[in-house]
Amino acid sequence: MSNSIIIEKEVSYMGRKDIYSIKQDDKSIPITHKVCGFMHKKVKTETKKLSHTDFQPIFDAFNNLDFTKAWRESGNIVGFDGRTLKCKIYHVATEISIRLWCPSKDESNPETTKLLEACEKVFSLFE
């Protein structure tokens, strides 16, 4: 597997999972948004292609994350609404991932906040 990023944002009480897939290509960077869930079957999958230049800020945001620090911060996260965020980053044959329960931006959790801000750069492409 080449370099890629997969983000899964799930809201269990709504039966909805948003999956964002990013795969680096020689010519462009396709980013696909797919919605899954029993109540959301009519939402069409959408793909956008970014140039390498346009993708660079997104790449930098994910490249500067420390999943271990975000994982350590997760004990401080309180939430009861059933939201989860999962992020997987693949580099050649290596994978690193994190899954957080109800993450939110908070200055006491700087690495979690950086992760959310990186993900928001992708989410904003489809809003």
Side-chain angles (χ1 to χ4, degrees), residues 27 36 47 74 89 97 116:
K27 297 179 183 177
C36 304
T47 300
S74 68
I89 299 176
S97 67
L116 290 169

mmCIF file of all heavy atoms in Angstrom, residues 27 36 47 74 89 97 116:
data_model
loop_
_atom_site.group_PDB
_atom_site.id
_atom_site.type_symbol
_atom_site.label_atom_id
_atom_site.label_comp_id
_atom_site.label_asym_id
_atom_site.label_seq_id
_atom_site.Cartn_x
_atom_site.Cartn_y
_atom_site.Cartn_z
ATOM 1 N N LYS A 27 -0.018 12.171 -10.119
ATOM 2 C CA LYS A 27 -0.536 13.376 -10.774
ATOM 3 C C LYS A 27 -1.390 14.252 -9.875
ATOM 4 O O LYS A 27 -1.383 15.465 -9.982
ATOM 5 C CB LYS A 27 -1.339 12.978 -12.014
ATOM 6 C CG LYS A 27 -0.489 12.289 -13.056
ATOM 7 C CD LYS A 27 -1.298 11.886 -14.244
ATOM 8 C CE LYS A 27 -0.410 11.125 -15.223
ATOM 9 N NZ LYS A 27 -1.109 10.639 -16.371
ATOM 10 N N CYS A 36 -21.974 6.060 5.172
ATOM 11 C CA CYS A 36 -22.559 4.749 5.421
ATOM 12 C C CYS A 36 -23.579 4.870 6.553
ATOM 13 O O CYS A 36 -23.514 5.771 7.359
ATOM 14 C CB CYS A 36 -21.489 3.752 5.851
ATOM 15 S SG CYS A 36 -20.141 3.580 4.707
ATOM 16 N N THR A 47 -15.894 12.451 -4.837
ATOM 17 C CA THR A 47 -14.431 12.487 -4.887
ATOM 18 C C THR A 47 -13.970 13.835 -5.416
ATOM 19 O O THR A 47 -14.530 14.351 -6.382
ATOM 20 C CB THR A 47 -13.872 11.366 -5.790
ATOM 21 O OG1 THR A 47 -14.278 10.102 -5.261
ATOM 22 C CG2 THR A 47 -12.357 11.413 -5.856
ATOM 23 N N SER A 74 -6.433 11.047 25.717
ATOM 24 C CA SER A 74 -7.799 10.537 25.605
ATOM 25 C C SER A 74 -8.426 10.194 26.946
ATOM 26 O O SER A 74 -9.647 10.161 27.057
ATOM 27 C CB SER A 74 -7.846 9.320 24.684
ATOM 28 O OG SER A 74 -7.184 8.217 25.271
ATOM 29 N N ILE A 89 -3.148 6.237 9.119
ATOM 30 C CA ILE A 89 -2.187 6.762 8.167
ATOM 31 C C ILE A 89 -1.303 5.595 7.725
ATOM 32 O O ILE A 89 -0.761 4.866 8.555
ATOM 33 C CB ILE A 89 -1.330 7.884 8.781
ATOM 34 C CG1 ILE A 89 -2.221 9.049 9.209
ATOM 35 C CG2 ILE A 89 -0.262 8.344 7.786
ATOM 36 C CD1 ILE A 89 -1.494 10.164 9.909
ATOM 37 N N SER A 97 -2.645 4.111 13.606
ATOM 38 C CA SER A 97 -4.027 4.572 13.704
ATOM 39 C C SER A 97 -4.358 4.935 15.143
ATOM 40 O O SER A 97 -3.678 4.529 16.085
ATOM 41 C CB SER A 97 -4.995 3.502 13.195
ATOM 42 O OG SER A 97 -4.992 2.382 14.039
ATOM 43 N N LEU A 116 -7.855 17.001 15.349
ATOM 44 C CA LEU A 116 -9.161 17.489 14.882
ATOM 45 C C LEU A 116 -9.002 18.571 13.819
ATOM 46 O O LEU A 116 -9.740 18.585 12.830
ATOM 47 C CB LEU A 116 -9.990 18.005 16.062
ATOM 48 C CG LEU A 116 -10.485 16.927 17.011
ATOM 49 C CD1 LEU A 116 -11.059 17.556 18.277
ATOM 50 C CD2 LEU A 116 -11.510 16.038 16.341
#
